[in-house]
Amino acid sequence: MPLQQSTAQSPLGELVLLARQGTLLSLIWSDRLPATERHIHRHMGAWAVEKVDEIPGWSKALHAYFEGHPDPFVDLPLAPPGTSFQRTVWDALRRVPTGATCSYRMLAESIGRPTACRAVANANGKNPMPIVVPCHRVIASDGGLGGFSAGLDRKRWLLRHEGQAL
């Protein structure tokens, strides 16, 4: 069964959405697509792509997010492919409220793995749907930005957009 692929424009560049039967698997900037495709391939095997105009509900939700609505993705179906540990980290990320941040250590503690800061950071870096699974809200313990797979300029923009003073 092919994956549906559509694109959407954002203030930070073109986004590529991949879904299976309307359930989002990935939402990534086009310049990060090759790394995300490798990640998906590792967890799902080979696939074909069917280009579609949009993934139902997701274009509207993205528009709402960039217009300033705090969490327009909450009721939309998603299933980011990854390991059990990665999915645990990503589920915890979805509980970090819009406008808030947490450290890698705090995130590790929230999943009951207080010594797994590096593993949590690695899972953040493999996140196939930044924005929806808001890994940009994770910062270093010293208050620094830490990393972001889509680039620190995008991370800064997203945090400011969500009301963080940097």
Side-chain angles (χ1 to χ4, degrees):
M1 174 176 301
L3 300 183
Q4 295 85 40
Q5 179 181 22
S6 70
T7 59
Q9 296 305 313
S10 84
L12 301 170
E14 181 181 67
L15 292 163
V16 178
L17 296 83
L18 289 171
R20 182 187 312 155
Q21 297 179 319
T23 297
L24 191 70
L25 302 173
S26 174
L27 187 156
I28 195 76
W29 284 276
S30 58
D31 61 327
R32 299 293 308 147
L33 187 58
T36 299
E37 286 177 331
R38 286 190 300 277
H39 171 83
I40 293 171
H41 186 267
R42 260 192 308 282
H43 295 281
M44 294 181 55
W47 73 85
V49 169
E50 171 192 2
K51 299 216 180 209
V52 295
D53 290 336
E54 75 174 279
I55 310 299
W58 286 97
S59 293
K60 182 178 177 182
L62 280 168
H63 180 73
Y65 173 79
F66 288 114
E67 289 292 315
H69 297 276
D71 195 3
F73 312 114
V74 69
D75 294 325
L76 293 172
L78 57 100
T83 67
S84 176
F85 179 79
Q86 288 169 336
R87 288 190 307 273
T88 297
V89 171
W90 300 335
D91 287 343
L93 280 169
R94 294 197 75 209
R95 293 189 293 273
V96 177
T98 302
T101 58
C102 70
S103 68
Y104 295 99
R105 179 174 308 285
M106 290 168 62
L107 191 57
E109 289 170 353
S110 80
I111 64 169
R113 302 281 302 273
T115 61
C117 295
R118 286 188 181 182
V120 163
N122 188 23
N124 279 4
K126 300 282 193 252
N127 176 9
M129 53 181 74
I131 302 174
V132 177
V133 176
C135 55
H136 60 277
R137 296 180 189 156
V138 182
I139 60 173
S141 294
D142 66 4
L145 282 182
F148 189 56
S149 65
L152 290 180
D153 287 341
R154 286 179 175 144
K155 183 172 186 167
R156 278 186 201 91
W157 191 98
L158 291 167
L159 289 171
R160 285 185 185 124
H161 175 68
E162 294 180 355
Q164 281 289 315
L166 300 176

